[in-house]
Amino acid sequence: SATSTAYVLLQDNAEDASSPEQIAVEPSSSADTHSFATTRRFAEALDRLDDDEELLREQMQFFLNDGPSLITLATRAIASNNGKDLQIASHRLKNLCATFDDNETASQWGEVETASVAESPDSAALAAESAIVGTQILLAAVHDYLSPEL
């Protein structure tokens, strides 16, 4: 039987921004699901890279390394009403999600970025809720794709 490990993401605890709480995102436990669903999900990204799977895996590893800290930065920026940090985090997350063809989540991060520039913290916070969930799902899918190597 295959064992699966949870990919742990950090999200700020609303009551205490200095202590982020961990959120476990379980990758798929089925080898069949991994081989079909995750490969299909990233087919367009791989195609854009001229089928260079090594380069795709490098980009995925960067996303796994940077994504959780960028989510934390965005969450803390919202909590402290720091538009500059929110703009930076949301812009980077928008581009990272677009790299893997998650256009819905990229668009949501674009809304967060626009709201941060317009100094609209309520709109930014609302848009960020969905964007964070979408990013966590994408992080889990990337982790699942790379899981044979991790």
Side-chain angles (χ1 to χ4, degrees):
S1 99
T3 58
S4 103
T5 57
Y7 185 69
V8 177
L9 302 174
L10 296 178
Q11 181 179 30
D12 283 336
N13 182 336
E15 291 134 19
D16 181 8
S18 66
S19 81
E21 63 184 77
Q22 294 185 350
I23 300 171
V25 178
E26 292 289 336
S28 169
S29 60
S30 162
D32 291 337
T33 301
H34 168 76
S35 63
F36 176 72
T38 57
T39 302
R40 182 179 168 145
R41 178 173 188 149
F42 300 113
E44 288 181 35
L46 186 58
D47 187 50
R48 270 195 316 281
L49 297 172
D50 295 325
D51 293 324
D52 187 341
E53 188 160 2
E54 184 177 333
L55 181 56
L56 176 65
R57 288 177 177 277
E58 282 180 25
Q59 288 184 348
M60 288 177 158
Q61 193 59 56
F62 289 131
F63 181 54
L64 288 179
N65 292 341
D66 294 347
S69 62
L70 289 169
I71 290 172
T72 298
L73 178 62
T75 305
R76 288 185 176 159
I78 289 168
S80 65
N81 201 19
N82 183 333
K84 182 178 180 180
D85 281 353
L86 183 56
Q87 182 182 6
I88 291 166
S90 58
H91 180 79
R92 290 183 61 199
L93 284 161
K94 174 184 71 175
N95 290 337
L96 286 169
C97 291
T99 298
F100 303 108
D101 301 300
D102 189 342
N103 298 324
E104 182 178 348
T105 304
S107 176
Q108 291 165 342
W109 282 118
E111 291 174 25
V112 175
E113 182 181 17
T114 299
S116 69
V117 171
E119 298 181 8
S120 179
D122 292 338
S123 296
L126 185 61
E129 287 179 27
S130 298
I132 289 169
V133 170
T135 305
Q136 291 170 335
I137 291 168
L138 181 59
L139 282 163
V142 166
H143 181 272
D144 196 37
Y145 184 90
L146 294 176
S147 63
E149 293 184 5
L150 296 177

